[in-house]
Amino acid sequence: MSGTATAPHPARRRADHSTSTRTAWLVWGIGAICYCAALFHRASLGVAAPEALQRFAIGPAMLSLFSALQLGIYLALQVPSGLLADRLGPRKVITGGMVALAAGSAVFAVSGSIVGGIAGRMLIGFGDAFMFTNVLRLAAHWFPPHKFGKVAAITGLAGGLGQIVSTLPLGLALHSIGWVPTFAGAAVLTAGLAVVAALAIRDRPDHAVVSSAPAPEPERIAHTLRHVIAQRGTKHSFWVHFVLMAQFVAVTTLWGGPWLTESQGHGQAEVGSLLLISVVGFIAGSWFSGQFISGNPVRRDRFGLGLSCAVVAVWALLVGWPGVLPMPVLVVALVIIGVGGGAAMLAFDGARMANAEHRSGTASGVVNMGGFSAAVLIQLLVGGVLQFVSFLPAAQAYRWAFAPVLVLLAVGTAAQWWLRERR
């Protein structure tokens, strides 16, 4: 009897690899669709803001509280989300997050009181918090490290599609069938996706689970966080996300619609189309970053810093321009804001390359805190300043309200410059 093992036939190896690749894209794709739904719910208040002001009989400061609490819940759960991604696995966490999103949309649909509206948005923030880091965790499990940056960028594209649905189609639905059917229908579809996620998502490939070696003991939470935060790449990525994502979230989740309507004089029908320009920029920024920038640390740092400077220049223009922006200038500004938001996906490529694979979920959660901590500050500051200067004309009031945004973005850009790779 020969002891020589027979090697698998090359055609069999290619077939197995092809099957594994298709399975990887399928599993990740279901997670990405769930993230797409989460972005729809996250951004829906920005388009529905004028209707929300009337439905709940509130002013801009209270409306900013709706969004700030939603994003605050999201922000507070980013590190727990990453830790749960590393410990429980994406399937359970994504399914639970989708259930929370469905419940939040249902509560938001039927509520007419401030308390009910806030409760609905907080549930949406809770469910949204567990989506992105867990979809990235699926990517880390199912794809080799050199493909992670591209898959993360494509995940950003999926989020952009969700935001497209939350702009023009959502606005049309609100005007044609009304508030309750629109948000209740979104709740039903989201619940259906939760069932699909529970049945179809697998945490990792089968061959990665079966091993004769004993499973390592989980790291202590404090130990994991200490190692993740200590990496230069994590800190740099935090500030990249702080600048590029926060300003995009500020425009698309709340203040873009009111600013375009009240300050820039555009009709409600135009607002969805103008916000769609920014979302298309987001998709373009995600695609370009994944194709040409991810995977190269020096190129990634330089591109992120250059784009952050461009974003700061745009917001300086919004603060400094006296009166209504000409349409070509407005379109360019919205495109750059969107491209910046899409390129924020590069922050997760940097965090993944700076940290061990078993800490990738935690690293993504820490970095994701960057953009959304700034976003919460922006929501509160803009709403507070608008309330304080409510006696001014709308165009002038928004210029004052956007001044704190400019300061935050400048601080984040300076931090990127300080932490950049010096080669």
Side-chain angles (χ1 to χ4, degrees):
M1 175 182 258
S2 173
T4 305
T6 303
H9 193 276
R12 175 65 179 274
R13 287 201 303 268
R14 286 195 297 271
D16 290 345
H17 176 73
S18 177
T19 301
S20 176
T21 300
R22 285 197 301 269
T23 304
W25 283 110
L26 175 64
V27 170
W28 168 86
I30 293 170
I33 291 171
C34 292
Y35 176 59
C36 178
L39 263 289
F40 165 83
H41 289 290
R42 182 195 300 172
S44 60
L45 183 60
V47 175
E51 289 84 356
L53 289 169
Q54 297 177 10
R55 181 176 179 84
F56 299 106
I58 55 177
M62 183 58 69
L63 184 63
S64 71
L65 184 62
F66 274 48
S67 184
L69 286 174
Q70 173 189 329
L71 293 177
I73 293 290
Y74 180 99
L75 172 64
L77 291 174
Q78 281 314 289
V79 171
S81 172
L83 292 168
L84 287 174
D86 293 338
R87 284 161 171 77
L88 292 183
R91 183 180 68 85
K92 293 179 181 177
V93 182
I94 289 174
T95 301
M98 293 300 288
V99 171
L101 285 168
S105 186
V107 170
F108 198 59
V110 300
S111 295
S113 68
I114 293 175
V115 173
I118 288 176
R121 298 317 295 184
M122 289 178 71
L123 276 170
I124 287 171
F126 182 89
D128 185 17
F130 295 101
M131 291 297 111
F132 186 66
T133 51
N134 281 274
V135 177
L136 290 187
R137 189 63 166 142
L138 284 175
H141 282 166
W142 282 89
F143 294 93
H146 69 275
K147 287 189 176 180
F148 181 85
K150 287 182 170 58
V151 178
I154 300 172
T155 305
L157 291 178
L161 294 176
Q163 292 191 323
I164 285 177
V165 177
S166 73
T167 53
L168 195 57
L170 176 61
L172 293 174
L174 284 170
H175 289 112
S176 60
I177 63 175
W179 181 281
V180 174
T182 296
F183 286 105
V188 171
L189 291 175
T190 305
L193 279 175
V195 175
V196 173
L199 294 176
I201 289 179
R202 301 197 332 249
D203 289 337
R204 60 179 71 237
D206 292 335
H207 63 76
V209 177
V210 179
S211 175
S212 59
E217 288 291 324
E219 287 182 331
R220 292 177 180 269
I221 292 174
H223 178 80
T224 301
L225 283 172
R226 186 165 58 250
H227 274 266
V228 167
I229 295 172
Q231 307 305 314
R232 184 212 68 90
T234 304
K235 290 180 280 194
H236 181 270
S237 298
F238 176 95
W239 289 107
V240 170
H241 202 256
F242 183 98
V243 173
L244 297 180
M245 182 55 72
Q247 50 92 42
F248 176 74
V249 171
V251 169
T252 57
T253 62
L254 183 60
W255 291 119
W259 170 64
L260 290 169
T261 303
E262 300 169 13
S263 172
Q264 299 300 301
H266 296 284
Q268 190 59 40
E270 296 178 274
V271 169
S273 299
L274 289 168
L275 291 178
L276 186 60
I277 292 172
S278 196
V279 175
V280 170
F282 179 96
I283 293 174
S286 295
W287 175 83
F288 181 84
S289 300
Q291 288 293 113
F292 302 108
I293 308 297
S294 66
N296 185 313
V298 175
R299 186 187 302 163
R300 184 181 60 237
D301 286 9
R302 289 174 178 172
F303 180 77
L305 182 60
L307 190 53
S308 296
C309 291
V311 163
V312 169
V314 164
W315 283 86
L317 177 70
L318 300 187
V319 171
W321 192 280
V324 176
L325 291 166
M327 183 58 76
V329 176
L330 176 61
V331 168
V332 170
L334 290 172
V335 168
I336 293 175
I337 288 170
V339 170
M345 299 300 116
L346 289 171
F348 300 100
D349 183 43
R352 174 66 184 90
M353 293 181 70
N355 291 276
E357 189 271 341
H358 67 280
R359 299 180 185 131
S360 63
T362 305
S364 296
V366 169
V367 168
N368 214 22
M369 289 182 66
F372 290 94
S373 61
V376 170
L377 283 173
I378 287 171
Q379 305 290 35
L380 293 173
L381 288 170
V382 171
V385 172
L386 284 175
Q387 197 78 20
F388 185 73
V389 299
S390 58
F391 58 90
L392 294 175
Q396 192 173 350
Y398 272 95
R399 288 173 60 196
W400 279 103
F402 285 168
V405 183
L406 177 60
V407 173
L408 288 174
L409 299 181
V411 168
T413 302
Q416 283 181 57
W417 178 84
W418 180 257
L419 291 166
R420 73 193 187 283
E421 284 274 17
R422 294 174 173 84
R423 296 185 182 181

